[in-house]
Amino acid sequence: MSINRRDFLKISAGAGLALSAGATPAQAAKTPELPPEAVGILYDATLCIGCKSCMVNCKKVNSERGGALYHKDTAGQIPYVYNEPDKIYDAPQNLSDKTLCIIKAHRNDGKEAKPASGEQSLSFLKLHCLHCIEPACVSVCPVAALQKNPTTGIVTYNKDRCFGCRYCQIACPFNIPMYEWSKASPSVVKCQLCNHRYAQGKYSACCEFCPTGASIFGKVKDLQEEAKRRLALKPGEVYSYPVKRVDGNEHTEKVVANYVNHVYGLTEAGGTQYLFLSGVTFDKLGFNPRITNQVYPDFTWNYVSAVPKLIATLLVTGTVVRVVTQKLDKNKKESGKGDAS
């Protein structure tokens, strides 16, 4: 069946209006509630040595079938990012469609802000999706391509549902979702906490391959308690830190550093399943100080919900203008024929 441009515009306008009428913030009215069996990660920057084992193994396991970086057309290929012509080292500068997890270094040398008493002179930061308890990206997705698992709490992405509106990028307060601009059939890319490995009895690669215990995996409630326990320790004490898993048998004894008295992610954006401890204030590590404890689906929907309405308005306006223009052209032609006779 063929369709002309006029009919296409009419159909598009109707679809836009339907989208506008049906778009509602699915979770905006809810109070943040952590699923009882929710899993996540505790990252302790005072233990991180910047080895980037998490980055390497994240790319490796997520390039496997079911992973967040897997594509049929590039099966078996790990999407390295090269900054040198020799292409020796994977050296991403930021999260991207090829990098789900990144380690960044911060030198607390006073050039940007004077170090607080007891702050570390060097700190690393491991950044990936924080898996918000009430994720803004899920609330604004009009086709449920992004969903929060009701058991694990992991925010997952289904590329077969996605049609590329990228509302998730607009809504996320942490700027996490990335888009495959270079591909003919692009997808959104983000950490999914290696959920494809759980059926195999495995867990997040960034924790499994962390040699120092800087990143540990487990139930969020256990991670929250572990984080609070560490903040209660006195600097200079020796503590037996869990390695890989918060409930595992592997530990390492380390001298306790001077922590900033805050667990980032405990309340930010309504709470997240990725928690941070640090010896440097979080704003110096690059966290946006404007992110509050507010539940972000409530905050972002007022802005993002206007986008379908705008699209619908433009489509309707375009349709009306084209219909009027065609009618004027038709009248003009008929008038010209009459003068010629």
Side-chain angles (χ1 to χ4, degrees):
M1 181 181 69
S2 62
I3 183 170
N4 59 34
R5 185 175 178 182
R6 178 179 176 181
D7 291 335
F8 171 77
L9 286 170
K10 285 182 178 179
I11 293 169
S12 298
L17 287 169
L19 179 61
S20 173
T24 57
Q27 302 181 24
K30 294 182 180 179
T31 301
E33 185 176 345
L34 184 70
E37 299 299 310
V39 294
I41 292 172
L42 171 62
Y43 172 73
D44 190 333
T46 70
L47 301 177
C48 184
I49 58 175
C51 68
K52 300 189 178 183
S53 175
C54 54
M55 290 176 54
V56 173
N57 287 285
C58 171
K59 287 199 173 187
K60 182 178 179 182
V61 304
N62 278 288
S63 296
E64 300 168 355
R65 185 178 295 275
L69 293 172
Y70 177 81
H71 291 277
K72 290 181 180 179
D73 55 344
T74 56
Q77 299 178 29
I78 299 175
Y80 293 125
V81 178
Y82 301 109
N83 289 325
E84 300 294 335
D86 293 337
K87 296 185 177 181
I88 298 175
Y89 300 105
D90 181 39
Q93 301 299 306
N94 290 292
L95 295 176
S96 70
D97 61 324
K98 297 179 176 63
T99 303
L100 307 174
C101 164
I102 194 164
I103 291 286
K104 292 190 173 185
H106 169 74
R107 296 192 180 278
N108 197 22
D109 52 14
K111 291 181 179 178
E112 297 180 2
K114 185 178 179 181
S117 176
E119 277 192 335
Q120 293 179 314
S121 59
L122 173 67
S123 178
F124 294 99
L125 172 68
K126 171 172 160 276
L127 189 61
H128 54 69
C129 179
L130 280 74
H131 297 274
C132 299
I133 296 175
E134 286 292 338
C137 61
V138 171
S139 75
V140 300
C141 181
V143 292
L146 286 155
Q147 296 187 351
K148 186 173 179 68
N149 187 289
T151 303
T152 65
I154 297 171
V155 179
T156 59
Y157 169 74
N158 184 343
K159 66 176 66 178
D160 294 330
R161 285 176 174 263
C162 180
F163 66 94
C165 70
R166 302 189 297 281
Y167 288 0
C168 54
Q169 289 189 293
I170 300 171
C172 178
F174 302 104
N175 300 315
I176 296 299
M178 297 292 150
Y179 196 66
E180 296 175 321
W181 295 101
S182 60
K183 290 195 168 133
S185 179
S187 300
V188 170
V189 176
K190 63 174 284 296
C191 157
Q192 299 182 60
L193 225 59
C194 294
N195 66 312
H196 66 296
R197 309 182 79 219
Y198 299 160
Q200 307 167 23
K202 299 178 181 179
Y203 52 97
S204 298
C206 61
C207 297
E208 181 180 345
F209 295 98
C210 177
T212 66
S215 290
I216 56 174
F217 180 86
K219 291 185 178 180
V220 177
K221 290 184 177 179
D222 294 339
L223 297 173
Q224 291 173 346
E225 291 303 314
E226 175 66 20
K228 293 174 183 177
R229 189 159 44 245
R230 294 184 189 185
L231 289 186
L233 298 171
K234 294 181 179 179
E237 289 182 348
V238 175
Y239 180 66
S240 181
Y241 289 90
V243 177
K244 299 182 180 181
R245 297 186 63 106
V246 69
D247 58 353
N249 297 321
E250 194 171 340
H251 291 74
T252 181
E253 290 192 345
K254 299 274 188 178
V255 175
V256 176
N258 187 29
Y259 287 108
V260 171
N261 190 27
H262 182 63
V263 182
Y264 194 94
L266 203 58
T267 58
E268 279 77 13
T272 69
Q273 293 177 211
Y274 182 22
L275 307 172
F276 300 80
L277 288 173
S278 173
V280 176
T281 53
F282 291 98
D283 58 336
K284 291 179 182 176
L285 292 178
F287 286 93
N288 186 350
R290 297 176 63 186
I291 293 176
T292 67
N293 300 345
Q294 184 175 2
V295 180
Y296 269 72
D298 293 342
F299 182 74
T300 57
W301 186 256
N302 292 332
Y303 300 96
V304 179
S305 63
V307 176
K309 296 176 183 178
L310 176 62
I311 293 173
T313 301
L314 292 173
L315 286 169
V316 171
T317 303
T319 302
V320 171
V321 169
R322 180 159 183 80
V323 169
V324 171
T325 302
Q326 287 180 333
K327 191 171 182 178
L328 289 173
D329 288 343
K330 184 179 179 181
N331 291 340
K332 187 176 180 180
K333 289 178 181 178
E334 290 176 352
S335 175
K337 289 180 180 178
D339 293 339
S341 60

